[in-house]
Amino acid sequence: MRITIWNEYVHEKQNPAVARHYPEGIHTVLAEALRKHLGPSVSVRTATLEHPEHGLPQSVLDETDVLVWWGHQAHDHVSDEVVERVAKRVLDGMGLVPLHSAHLSRPFVRLMGTSCMLRWREADEKERIWVVNPSHPITEGIDGEFFEIEREEMYGEFFDIPPPEELIFISWFQGGEVFRSGCTFRRGKGKIFYFRPGHETYPTYHHPMVQRI
Ligand code: ZN
């Protein structure tokens, strides 16, 4: 499997509170995690916004089976050409894994066709992620009915997405909200998995269960 991890890579260079957890960028931590968990059966490369064509020329997408996407403050800096190219490649069979604030990334919104807006609050709340589809391969290796992240940003419903094909995780937050945290979709020949955790000021992508998923 050939995996490309795309990260806008902006917060890490501007905010010391983010750089503390991700000194070389969220993409680097994700790449290391995937190499560690999946071994030599996968090839992992990374790409960021600042590269020519954001590091996603057609040749890279043609050699990508799964594209992981993290973005937040620079969604609007992703060019129309790259958005269309990614969306078309998904329809042709590439997997797409939008993480956390990539709910508003342009390729995801384009493929969903809805606003993809949600409720949110940054208040250092505990997140409990319930496994609601334990036979699904995405949940392989998760022990127990749920796992917890000690502090995260809250995302709450209503999350304006089309009804997911499969719901894999539901999050509960200390403030009482719940959220559809792990959702699958199909578009054309491509499969999409949205996964919620990963606010940039928390060390979420170092969490073993999050890495596993
Ligand atoms: Zn966030």
Side-chain angles (χ1 to χ4, degrees):
M1 191 186 290
R2 300 162 300 178
I3 303 170
T4 301
I5 299 171
W6 190 87
N7 177 19
E8 65 178 26
Y9 196 25
V10 176
H11 289 291
E12 297 96 321
K13 291 183 282 189
Q14 294 178 349
N15 184 351
V18 179
R20 187 161 64 97
H21 304 304
Y22 306 107
E24 292 167 73
I26 284 171
H27 54 294
T28 306
V29 171
L30 292 172
E32 282 167 8
L34 289 177
R35 288 187 190 112
K36 185 177 84 185
H37 285 275
L38 298 172
S41 63
V42 299
S43 66
V44 182
R45 68 167 115 193
T46 62
T48 62
L49 182 68
E50 64 196 349
H51 293 130
E53 300 183 66
H54 315 323
L56 298 175
Q58 189 65 50
S59 58
V60 168
L61 291 179
D62 286 344
E63 293 171 357
T64 298
D65 299 310
V66 179
L67 177 64
V68 178
W69 191 285
W70 197 99
H72 180 227
Q73 73 181 59
H75 293 317
D76 291 342
H77 295 271
V78 178
S79 73
D80 293 346
E81 290 74 18
V82 168
V83 172
E84 287 309 307
R85 195 181 291 160
V86 168
K88 181 170 184 305
R89 189 64 190 95
V90 170
L91 298 179
D92 286 343
M94 182 178 72
L96 178 67
V97 182
L99 297 172
H100 187 62
S101 41
H103 69 93
L104 285 185
S105 64
R106 295 189 62 208
F108 183 63
V109 174
R110 158 92 166 66
L111 287 160
M112 292 298 104
T114 55
S115 78
C116 299
M117 270 309 296
L118 45 79
R119 317 288 159 248
W120 57 277
R121 172 176 62 239
E122 287 182 56
D124 289 343
E125 285 165 275
K126 180 186 284 188
E127 175 175 10
R128 179 174 291 177
I129 301 179
W130 290 91
V131 178
V132 297
N133 197 340
S135 66
H136 198 284
I138 288 175
T139 68
E140 204 181 298
I142 300 176
D143 296 326
E145 298 172 317
F146 63 83
F147 66 95
E148 290 182 341
I149 300 174
E150 217 38 54
R151 274 185 296 280
E152 250 291 357
E153 175 183 18
M154 183 280 288
Y155 274 11
E157 299 284 344
F158 176 58
F159 182 18
D160 184 20
I161 47 172
E165 178 172 323
E166 299 159 306
L167 189 56
I168 316 287
F169 302 110
I170 294 176
S171 286
W172 164 92
F173 294 88
Q174 233 169 332
E177 291 85 357
V178 293
F179 186 75
R180 289 170 289 170
S181 262
C183 305
T184 69
F185 307 88
R186 284 177 206 243
R187 291 293 182 274
K189 298 177 189 165
K191 297 177 183 174
I192 301 168
F193 174 55
Y194 172 78
F195 188 45
R196 192 216 83 84
H199 186 66
E200 65 275 4
T201 57
Y202 301 110
T204 299
Y205 293 124
H206 296 280
H207 191 293
M209 279 299 116
V210 173
Q211 290 195 352
R212 172 113 206 158
I213 292 161

